[in-house]
Amino acid sequence: MHTFSQVDADAQLPGMEDEEEVFVFPLSFAQQRLWFVDQMDPGNPLYNVPTVLHLEGALDADALGRALGEIVRRHEVLRTVFEVEEGEPVQVVLPWRPLELPVTDLGAYSDADRQEELDRRALAEGRRAFDLTAGPLFHAELLRLAPDEHALFLTMHHIVSDAWSIGVLLREIGVLYEAFARGEESPLDDLPIQYADFAVWQRERLSGERLEAQLAYWRDQLRDPPVLELPTDRPRPAAPTFHGGSVGVHVSAATSAALRELARAEGATLFMPLLAAWQALLARHAGQDDVIAGTPIANRNRSEIEALIGFFVNTLALRADLSGNPTFRELLRQVRERTFGAYAHQDLPFEKIVEELAPDRDLSRSPVFQVMFSLQNAPGAEAQPEDGLSISLYGARMESAKYDLILTLVETPEDIRGSLSYATDLFGRATAERIASHYAALLDGIAADPDQRIADLPLMDPAERRQLLEEWNATGRPYDLSRPVHERIAEQALRTPDAPAVVAATESLSFAELERRADALARRLRVLGAGPDRRVALLLERGAATVVAVLGILKSGAAYVALDPAYPDERLHFMLSDAGAAAVVTAAGLAGRLGDFAGAVVLLDGAPEPGEDGAPPVAALPENLAYVIYTSGSTGTPKGVLVTHRGLSNYLAWFDETVLGAEGFALPLVSRLSFDAHVRQLFPPLLRGEPVWVLPEETVSDPGALLEAISGHERVSFGGVPSLWSAMLELVRSGEAPRPAGLRAVLLGGEA
């Protein structure tokens, strides 16, 4: 039975005195956190530690199975389960039993199919659901790929292992396999202590004054921790899925050498300038000057525990203050001092720090920090059997991300390389690649001159700089912006007078009829004082009259201000007053919404007024206003945005060239005129000699009816808000609505 006594803080770790069948121990602080996580989501594979070994050469499967069994016998943590006694979790060491190594033969597969099956099984193994109560928490399986080629799956739960443990495991496999394959006994001495001894010692040591001193340091360092608000591709979900991806990171040999020299000159390790650069990059991307990054530390600062398998790793939260735009050298010196301070107080588990800080609970992100950084030395050759069997690691595909971003670097004799893992809940691969590229460019700038200020360090490599400054800014086009859009539509009407111009639920208009009615309205408005840069509001339900009203107002020389019938009266009255509207074009059923508006009211569904044939339309210049559109007001009072004819013509020319292209497609008018999307749904068809397709409100608000409407066209596009498109997609996926075979493009906007 393991026995323990109170030990001095600097005393050696206690060891085993004798051996019995079953042992019960408290959990380490790190184990306790993972136990609580598993209680909330049992069997979640996020904390699996999978390893796949590639074995080449003649293999003695019995010797390999015996080696793995001996490792399980030596390391009690691999035959440990977790139970509850008197309301508290405990770890229970089960008796050792010989390990049965299952073998699966994939020799009958073709080369391509074999690799696909190996990858499939590797992913499935990484998703294995462990039962902390029943165990085992260590699983091994051998796959025979060919007579002299095998793959060995080794998967442990993080609660009994860490990255260092994998190295211990691989070394012992090599030593034990070689001995057992020769018919010899194990050359390894029994371990003097076990992981459970460490757990007890940790709890005894971290108490009293020593615990308070550690807590005081971290309370001071992490007071009021900031939340890192990086710009993301997708809105942060209420609870993360932990799905992830990864991209490569490479630092050139020249820059790596310069960073090593900078570290030596500043009395720092290479880890420190690499971390400082990471924090500088995060600060630049987030627009913050207070950044915390987590970093794992092996936490094996005693020789007695270096050879153990177990969950020893701790996490340090390292904070950087970038206020005042320091030089990189100044930041490096700050990071060096804070890192040394953190190392001096590394014994306190991060779990205890979080418990002490008690930050506001936010299930959408990790507490204290949201990004990680680590630097590893390139792993040396593991113990290799001398009988011709080669053992190497298979590359593993990153599929999970415990944090928003995790930068993992490896130092080699020549350069620095690694990977950037990212939460796919938040970021797309292109964004992750750009962040990785920015990091490498930042390091190049630091290597060239570490005395540059943080804000002046380069982020873009030459290719991105050329794309941003030259390619994306090569916006010159031979567009004719001299003629307003309504004049060009009038020219189209002369070419195709009888072609349909407006197709609505209750009324259709030819180009000639549209022009006649719009000209008539323009004359009525001119009599009422409409002209260049004057504002005329329109308050109409979506229909053919809407198109007439817009063209009529533009032909009068005035700018239109769209009022939405769905708006409350208070907002309508505010917009009329704020825009300084001289008149309102509306229908009899909506005129009562205008309140005490003192200007002229023109009813499209009323009898023509005497002045209809009076003043002719007037030409508008490119600099004159075309329309005024109001913001939503979600951040305060709605604000009117003034759009000129030149700006409108420029946008429509770009849209026609870039989006519609040579063939084009039908784009139904589903947006209200109060949203800017109406511009690309109303004008482009008319400019191309095609009809504006006006869908009624009852169709637009019904995802099924909208799908049915667009399914009848061979070339069609949907433009609207993401929530409506999502509802339409769900109907198609469920089989409740047909897939619109003619759909050519989807244009989304207006929501996050």
Side-chain angles (χ1 to χ4, degrees), residues 259 263-264 267-274 332 336 339-340 343 375:
L259 293 173
R264 280 194 293 270
T269 63
L270 179 61
F271 169 89
M272 296 170 188
L274 293 173
L332 172 57
R336 179 193 62 193
T339 302
F340 282 143
Y343 288 164
L375 173 65

Side-chain angles (χ1 to χ4, degrees), residues 266 326-330 333 445-446 448-453 457:
E266 293 297 327
T327 67
F328 183 79
R329 193 183 299 273
E330 292 169 341
R333 291 171 179 172
I446 291 167
D449 181 8
D451 291 306
Q452 295 180 80
R453 297 201 172 273
L457 287 167

Side-chain angles (χ1 to χ4, degrees), residues 277-301:
W278 179 232
Q279 292 175 311
L281 177 66
L282 295 171
R284 292 274 295 273
H285 273 254
Q288 299 176 212
D289 56 18
D290 188 3
V291 175
I292 300 178
T295 186
I297 188 167
N299 200 30
R300 299 192 186 226
N301 50 6

Side-chain angles (χ1 to χ4, degrees), residues 474-676:
T475 56
R477 292 289 188 278
Y479 295 153
D480 180 7
L481 308 180
S482 62
R483 293 175 302 146
V485 62
H486 58 277
E487 291 185 9
R488 292 162 57 202
I489 293 173
E491 293 173 359
Q492 179 62 47
L494 291 175
R495 291 192 292 268
T496 58
D498 297 326
V502 181
V503 176
T506 59
E507 185 179 15
S508 295
L509 302 174
S510 67
F511 271 92
E513 180 65 13
L514 175 62
E515 281 293 300
R516 187 191 68 76
R517 291 175 58 175
D519 283 341
L521 174 60
R523 291 188 177 92
R524 295 169 68 182
L525 294 174
R526 288 285 292 135
V527 169
L528 297 172
D533 293 331
R534 300 294 298 275
R535 291 84 185 266
V536 174
L538 63 91
L539 178 64
L540 293 167
E541 298 289 355
R542 187 189 293 106
T546 306
V547 185
V548 172
V550 168
L551 283 182
I553 294 171
L554 292 177
K555 283 173 175 286
S556 76
Y560 66 91
V561 184
L563 304 180
D564 195 329
Y567 286 159
D569 290 349
E570 182 181 1
R571 173 160 177 149
L572 295 178
H573 302 160
F574 164 78
M575 292 172 64
L576 280 170
S577 172
D578 186 70
V584 177
V585 177
T586 186
L590 293 171
R593 303 283 307 281
L594 300 177
D596 58 358
F597 176 66
V601 177
V602 178
L603 302 179
L604 277 190
D605 54 356
E609 297 186 4
E612 178 177 338
D613 296 324
V618 64
L621 299 175
E623 293 75 21
N624 292 140
L625 285 181
Y627 65 93
V628 179
I629 192 164
Y630 275 78
T631 63
S632 66
S634 59
T635 59
T637 303
K639 301 173 182 61
V641 179
L642 309 178
V643 181
T644 65
H645 282 283
R646 183 186 301 277
L648 174 60
S649 295
N650 186 66
Y651 174 76
L652 292 175
W654 167 85
F655 185 82
D656 183 84
E657 175 188 71
T658 307
V659 181
L660 292 181
E663 295 185 4
F665 43 75
L667 189 64
L669 181 60
V670 298
S671 294
R672 293 178 178 272
L673 298 194
S674 53
F675 292 97
D676 56 0

Side-chain angles (χ1 to χ4, degrees), residues 2 4 25-26 76-77 91 93 193-201 308:
H2 292 257
F4 306 96
F25 305 95
E76 293 179 356
V77 72
Q91 50 181 320
V93 179
I193 63 169
Q194 293 287 336
Y195 181 82
D197 300 309
F198 165 78
V200 174
W201 172 83
L308 294 182

Side-chain angles (χ1 to χ4, degrees), residues 406-483:
I406 306 171
L407 178 59
T408 304
L409 300 179
V410 176
E411 180 187 4
T412 75
E414 296 79 26
D415 56 13
I416 300 166
R417 58 187 64 230
S419 65
L420 175 66
S421 303
Y422 59 96
T424 53
D425 287 345
L426 305 176
F427 304 102
R429 184 178 181 84
T431 296
E433 290 174 339
R434 186 167 59 252
I435 293 172
S437 172
H438 287 178
Y439 183 67
L442 189 72
L443 290 175
D444 289 342
I446 291 167
D449 181 8
D451 291 306
Q452 295 180 80
R453 297 201 172 273
I454 297 300
D456 297 330
L457 287 167
L459 292 186
M460 294 180 287
D461 60 21
E464 185 181 6
R465 180 179 293 275
R466 182 171 58 255
Q467 181 188 59
L468 183 63
L469 299 183
E470 297 176 20
E471 296 173 11
W472 286 357
N473 275 286
T475 56
R477 292 289 188 278
Y479 295 153
D480 180 7
L481 308 180
S482 62
R483 293 175 302 146

